[in-house]
Amino acid sequence: MKYINKLASVFFIAALGVMTLTSCEGGDLFNVNAPDWLSEMGGGEEPEPEEEEELVGQMEDVYNIGKEDLSSGFWTLGKTYVVPAGAKWQAQFNLTVNPDNKYYKNFYLVLNACTDAATGALGDEFGVIRYDNDPSKNSEWNTDGTEIDRGLIGGNFTNSSGEDDTDASVQKMNGKITLTVDRTDGGLFIKMTNGTLTKTYTQTTSFPSTGADAPIACRIGIEGALVSFISTNIEPIGGCTSAEDKQPLALTLTGVPSEVLVGTSVEEAFANVTAVVDFEQGVSANVTAEDLQFEPIPNMEDLGQKTLVVLYNKTFKGANADKPIVATKTFSVVKELSAFTETVVVPNPTILGAEDNSSGWWTAHTDNIKVEPKETKVVNFTNYSSGGANWNNFVIVLNRANLAEYAVVRADNFGWGDGYAACKPVGGFGSDEEWATWLEAMNGAKVTAYITNNGDGTADVKAVMHGTNGVDYVQEYNGINTVDPDDMYFRFTVDGCHMVFDSELGTADCSAGWWTTHTANVQVPSHTICTVNFTNYSSLANNWNNFVVVLNDATTAKEYAVVRADNFGWGDGYAACTPSGGQADWGVWLAAMNGAKCTVQIANNGDGTADVKAVMHGTDGVDYIQDYIGINMVDPDDLYFRFTVDGSYLVFE
């Protein structure tokens, strides 16, 4: 590591003498200077402004929420401001709405329970109140429970949009907004105004209805708009942002490919790299490859592992920094990109073993499941153990079609078979106390098992066990050999345990609400396509009452993108993607989705982008297609997916 830092320093001392870096205006999320054209977007003749509301104790807090080109998707959020019971929060910011006149493309206030006022830790989300006031649409909504009463909305304007959601009057929302969140009288009073258009929420009873004395976390969010913050009387989590310029402190990279084909240029190889720059005063900004300088070490011409050195040399306002910041990441130059496919499967039966954990060794097995060369099968299940011994947990058998065994591997770092001796187990513990803790946590553990046919006569098995104590345990068996790649199968068996496989999501009556239940996270390695087959059932109330796919990392659960069955999505990487365009007749499509046989593929392209492709074989016999191509800002070494529902029900096959 010291050698890399020294080498990088030498490179940058030389590079600074010859490079002229592209100016950066502070990134996408937190900027100071908005482009000149934003001031020219007026919606016609403006009404006479009212007298500004009196503000007390304001502190400078200067940053932007959203991209200057107004392309930021839904749920682009700013800082967290914690409002204690009995307090009043007042903030000011400039709002620029979208010229496409969509009624919902403005700002909204998100209200959460706050479980720790010092850190701003979020609890239940009470709901959202948006600046528009279209009485026929979702200008405010509850998330958990019924905390927000739409009947308590007031103000001096209404807007009414047509079927295309457009309304030219939304341009009158532009200008300097004063936001008030007042809890001084025990209830909740909210006021959003630009001096001309005002929206209020007045609740005299306790808010929230339970824990009314607890602090509330407030965040401003946008969709297709720009909020340029000015001031606040409550210091946000992480502190206020000064209008003064700020030096860069750290660089975090996303989208560095794990593999690059030999002969690929630097510009092409790293075109999808993005980064988060941390500046002074706790400010951060997103930057793209155009704002960065790349140097592969030692070179891109030879095969093998390389170190990518990345430099950023701009201040928050885009001037040359006093000192450049550097980040590094490894990648490999290869002759041929790795190519695996993954298929999520649910074994038969969906419950294996007696539910009182009385099934003895080798007394129950799932069906054989074939694994093709260059394929990984992924299985999610819950493991239940008698707790008698470490081996009283799930067992995975690798075998031929005639059941001749390559290897038998257990959950507890032990196995046997002709191919087992060559493998390299990773896992286990050194002390009896650690094993005892693990064994206790395995009774109810959520497990994701990966079974890989490497296509070269070897196989790998990996199990990620999320214990009931909240700890993730990993057991791997890498390099099992003597495998015929054209005749490799696996099955599960038990010993004093039972397994419940994840065969469904939601409730059969399609009553499960939005975001209330999720499948386990499944990793999609670089250059891998994962395939999931299931039957989709819908309440048929709305187009969005069908399956939803979430792409995220495992480290922070940060969402790269959330995509629905009906040509809609959001997230940091969603704006760059190309959706397929939806269906010709939405009504016919929706009717056909209740019982549709669906195949969804999630591709990790290995270059910082991902694709989601869905084929929905409707009950009318028609195949409907929905694709999301080129989702970006993806870390190819940390891409996972999961499913969720919203008034829908999924049965996996």
Side-chain angles (χ1 to χ4, degrees), residues 14 59 71 76 108 126 140 161 189 210 215 229 249 253 288 311 320 343 350 352 428 431 464 484 516 545 553 633 638:
M59 298 173 283
S71 65
T76 300
Y108 46 86
F126 299 132
E140 52 277 332
S161 56
F189 173 72
T210 58
F229 236 83
L249 301 176
L253 302 175
T288 61
L311 173 144
N320 285 329
T343 303
T350 55
L352 183 67
S431 70
V464 180
D484 180 350
T516 53
N545 296 133
D553 69 17
M633 301 183 71
D638 195 8

Side-chain angles (χ1 to χ4, degrees), residues 321-505:
D322 293 342
K323 181 180 178 181
I325 52 175
V326 178
T328 62
K329 194 152 186 179
T330 59
F331 69 99
S332 294
V333 176
V334 297
K335 285 184 179 180
E336 182 182 357
L337 297 176
S338 300
F340 281 87
T341 60
E342 291 193 328
T343 303
V344 174
V345 299
V346 176
N348 182 37
T350 55
I351 298 179
L352 183 67
E355 295 186 52
D356 62 358
N357 298 318
S358 62
S359 295
W361 169 245
W362 217 253
T363 55
H365 298 260
T366 62
D367 289 346
N368 255 351
I369 297 172
K370 188 172 186 180
V371 189
E372 300 288 353
K374 291 287 188 176
E375 184 178 49
T376 297
K377 297 290 193 184
V378 184
V379 185
N380 290 306
F381 60 90
T382 304
N383 178 90
Y384 297 93
S385 173
S386 66
N390 291 342
W391 54 82
N392 295 135
N393 291 288
F394 67 89
V395 179
I396 301 174
V397 185
L398 303 189
N399 51 259
R400 295 177 180 270
N402 64 6
L403 303 185
E405 296 162 11
Y406 298 122
V408 180
V409 295
R410 301 192 319 211
D412 64 332
N413 199 41
F414 187 79
W416 58 88
D418 292 342
Y420 179 80
C423 86
K424 300 174 182 177
V426 178
F429 307 103
S431 70
D432 291 341
E433 183 178 353
E434 290 173 306
W435 277 113
T437 300
W438 171 84
L439 180 58
E440 182 178 2
M442 285 298 291
N443 187 30
K446 300 293 184 180
V447 182
T448 301
Y450 299 82
I451 299 91
T452 301
N453 179 348
N454 294 314
D456 60 359
T458 68
D460 302 328
V461 176
K462 176 182 177 180
V464 180
M465 302 163 276
H466 185 72
T468 55
N469 58 355
V471 176
D472 282 340
Y473 301 96
V474 180
Q475 178 62 53
E476 298 181 64
Y477 299 95
N478 300 313
I480 297 167
N481 68 0
T482 72
V483 172
D484 180 350
D486 296 317
D487 188 16
M488 177 180 153
Y489 293 76
F490 76 93
R491 66 190 197 275
F492 288 91
T493 188
V494 294
D495 182 9
C497 64
H498 79 279
M499 306 162 65
V500 179
F501 296 97
D502 294 350
S503 60
E504 59 186 35
L505 184 69

Side-chain angles (χ1 to χ4, degrees), residues 248-297:
L249 301 176
L251 188 66
T252 303
L253 302 175
T254 298
V256 175
S258 56
E259 296 178 341
V260 174
L261 277 175
V262 65
T264 306
S265 68
V266 172
E267 292 77 12
E268 183 182 359
F270 306 116
N272 293 309
V273 173
T274 60
V276 176
V277 181
D278 294 325
F279 294 91
E280 296 172 324
Q281 301 180 31
V283 179
S284 63
N286 295 326
V287 299
T288 61
E290 290 78 12
D291 307 311
L292 303 167
Q293 294 293 319
F294 302 96
E295 180 67 13
I297 297 175

Side-chain angles (χ1 to χ4, degrees), residues 20-270:
T20 301
L21 300 182
T22 303
S23 175
C24 172
E25 296 296 332
D28 290 335
L29 289 181
F30 295 159
N31 299 331
V32 174
N33 300 316
D36 294 338
W37 64 266
L38 292 179
S39 62
E40 301 171 4
M41 289 177 48
E45 188 174 335
E46 290 294 323
E48 283 293 321
E50 299 175 2
E51 185 176 343
E52 287 192 14
E53 185 174 346
E54 181 181 358
L55 302 175
V56 179
Q58 294 298 109
M59 298 173 283
E60 182 181 62
D61 197 16
V62 183
Y63 67 99
N64 279 4
I65 308 172
K67 298 178 180 179
E68 293 178 351
D69 64 1
L70 308 180
S71 65
S72 296
F74 179 66
W75 218 245
T76 300
L77 301 172
K79 299 180 184 179
T80 299
Y81 299 82
V82 178
V83 184
K88 178 194 291 187
W89 175 42
Q90 290 181 301
Q92 279 198 328
F93 49 85
N94 287 314
L95 173 66
T96 304
V97 300
N98 206 289
D100 67 7
N101 292 327
K102 298 291 186 182
Y103 80 97
Y104 52 82
K105 289 186 178 179
N106 54 78
F107 82 91
Y108 46 86
L109 174 67
V110 183
L111 302 169
N112 280 77
C114 182
T115 58
D116 186 337
T119 64
L122 301 178
D124 287 344
E125 186 181 295
F126 299 132
V128 180
I129 298 177
R130 203 168 51 215
Y131 188 39
D132 55 84
N133 193 27
D134 194 322
S136 65
K137 297 183 178 177
N138 59 335
S139 296
E140 52 277 332
W141 63 88
N142 286 289
T143 307
D144 292 307
T146 57
E147 293 293 348
I148 294 176
D149 183 351
R150 298 186 70 173
L152 302 180
I153 294 293
N156 67 355
F157 76 92
T158 60
N159 56 291
S160 182
S161 56
E163 291 184 2
D164 63 355
D165 291 336
T166 61
D167 179 359
S169 71
V170 302
Q171 294 301 320
K172 296 179 182 180
M173 298 178 187
N174 281 304
K176 185 164 67 175
I177 304 292
T178 299
L179 172 67
T180 301
V181 178
D182 191 347
R183 304 185 67 198
T184 56
D185 290 334
L188 179 67
F189 173 72
I190 296 172
K191 182 179 181 182
M192 309 168 172
T193 183
N194 64 2
T196 302
L197 299 179
T198 300
K199 180 174 181 176
T200 61
Y201 178 84
T202 306
Q203 180 171 320
T204 57
T205 56
S206 295
F207 186 97
S209 57
T210 58
D213 293 334
I216 295 176
C218 297
R219 294 172 292 168
I220 301 297
I222 59 92
E223 177 178 5
L226 176 67
V227 161
S228 300
F229 236 83
I230 301 172
S231 64
T232 175
N233 70 326
I234 289 179
E235 184 174 350
I237 301 301
C240 291
T241 303
S242 169
E244 298 176 356
D245 205 358
K246 287 160 275 293
Q247 295 294 324
L249 301 176
L251 188 66
T252 303
L253 302 175
T254 298
V256 175
S258 56
E259 296 178 341
V260 174
L261 277 175
V262 65
T264 306
S265 68
V266 172
E267 292 77 12
E268 183 182 359
F270 306 116

